[in-house]
Every structure is written in structure tokens, then in C-alpha cells.
Amino acid sequence: MKKFLIISGLAVAVLIILGWATMYYMKKQTKSFSPEEEVVFSQNKLTINVFYNRPFKKGRVIYGGLVPYGKVWRTGANEATTFQTSQDLKFEGKTLRKGRYSLWTIPGEDTWTIIFNSEYGQWGVSSDGEANRSPDRDVLQVQVHPVLQDREFEQFTIAFEKLGEEVEMVLMWDKTLVAVPFAY
């Protein structure tokens, strides 16, 4: 009986190690298709860091296809995108307190919803393929309008642009550009 318990314990340990190794390998593999990126905006005492993964278009229909209209999207690939600010920000008169958030979007043909959620660090989709977001932890939502353009962005990109007293966080992919203005 003692020998059986030792062998069973070793078998369980090997299975756990193999499971972890498989998860590590799978995460590394997916990262090669959608590399990590960190974009930083710094002005006076304000610093914003956005950490996200950048998928490629690869000839696919993006919005309304790969990223369905009307459904929550992790705003990138792999882990949920994180947004960290060193100061309070104002979006459409609403305050986003300094701190770290996950960034989600609901793309639409005419309007996008930008969502800041207090939970962060999670994988972007659950095992059933849905957004891995707890809506009860949403702290701020704003509505913006997408702009269709002739230029095509092959890889999903987040950038910041200073416009006078305001700053825009700009999301670009395929032929869609979404500017999210804020003040600090």
C-alpha cells in the first residue's frame, strides 16, 4: 500500500508539472503571434503606462468579424490590456482615479464604449471564449466614435497624442481609428 501511495503521489506531481509546462508553453506561443508592447505617456507629473498585446490583421476582417460588434473585447490579445495612471484623469467630465485598471472596449459601427475596470492581471478571455471581465468592477465608461480611414494598420496599436490641454489615447487597427480624449 505504501508503494502504491508513493507512486500515485509521484504521478500526480508529474501531471501537475506537465500542466504548468504546457500552460507556460502555450502562453509563450500565443505571445509570438501577438507580441507584448508597453506604451508610456509622460507629461509634467503625469505618467500613463499601457501594457497590451498586439495582434496582426493577417488578411482577416477585424471589426464585425474577428472582433464582433456589440461584444466586450479585451482590447488586444492574450492578457487583458492594463492601463495605469499616476494622476486622476477626466474623461467626458468623469474622473478616473489614479491607479491600475484593465481596459476593455465594446466596438460598434457608430459608437465604441471604452471601459476601465478595477480588476487587472487576468487572461483576456475565459475558457468559453467570452471576455474575462467582471462588469460589477467597472469604474468608468465613455462613448467615442470610430473613424474609418484609407490607411490600414496591420498590427493593433495604442498611442497617445497631446492636443493642447487634452490628450488622446488612440486605438488603431485595420482601417479603424478610435480617439479617446481626456484631461488631467
Side-chain angles (χ1 to χ4, degrees):
M1 183 67 165
K2 186 176 177 183
K3 197 175 197 177
F4 172 76
L5 289 174
I6 291 172
I7 292 172
S8 295
L10 287 173
V12 167
V14 166
L15 288 174
I16 289 171
I17 291 169
L18 283 174
W20 285 341
T22 301
M23 285 293 290
Y24 176 79
Y25 175 76
M26 292 302 290
K27 282 189 176 185
K28 281 290 193 194
Q29 281 299 103
T30 60
K31 299 261 183 175
S32 67
F33 298 116
S34 300
E36 294 177 345
E37 181 75 32
E38 181 177 24
V39 61
V40 177
F41 174 81
S42 190
Q43 178 83 36
N44 300 325
K45 295 181 181 180
L46 172 65
T47 301
I48 297 173
N49 295 67
V50 177
F51 176 81
Y52 68 111
N53 287 268
R54 301 181 64 202
F56 290 88
K57 180 174 168 40
K58 296 182 183 174
R60 301 176 287 189
V61 173
I62 301 301
Y63 300 112
L66 178 67
V67 178
Y69 289 129
K71 291 188 76 175
V72 176
W73 177 44
R74 61 186 156 187
T75 317
N78 305 329
E79 298 95 343
T81 294
T82 58
F83 181 100
Q84 184 171 356
T85 176
S86 65
Q87 291 185 353
D88 294 354
L89 304 175
K90 289 276 190 191
F91 292 86
E92 295 180 345
K94 303 172 194 172
T95 301
L96 180 69
R97 299 279 175 220
K98 71 178 181 177
R100 181 178 293 179
Y101 303 92
S102 54
L103 176 67
W104 305 85
T105 51
I106 303 174
E109 290 184 69
D110 299 317
T111 305
W112 280 42
T113 302
I114 310 300
I115 304 166
F116 295 90
N117 186 285
S118 63
E119 183 179 13
Y120 57 88
Q122 71 273 38
W123 198 249
V125 292
S126 60
S127 59
D128 63 0
E130 295 297 316
N132 194 14
R133 165 184 150 257
S134 300
D136 58 319
R137 301 203 51 195
D138 291 350
V139 295
L140 188 125
Q141 292 189 15
V142 292
Q143 306 289 314
V144 294
H145 297 284
V147 175
L148 294 178
Q149 54 184 10
D150 291 331
R151 181 176 177 197
E152 183 174 283
F153 292 91
E154 173 64 24
Q155 192 175 18
F156 177 65
T157 302
I158 298 176
F160 288 92
E161 194 170 312
K162 178 105 169 96
L163 302 169
E165 295 298 311
E166 280 196 339
V167 178
E168 289 181 335
M169 177 175 63
V170 184
L171 313 175
M172 300 167 276
W173 199 16
D174 194 5
K175 292 185 175 189
T176 300
L177 186 141
V178 178
V180 185
F182 61 90
Y184 59 96

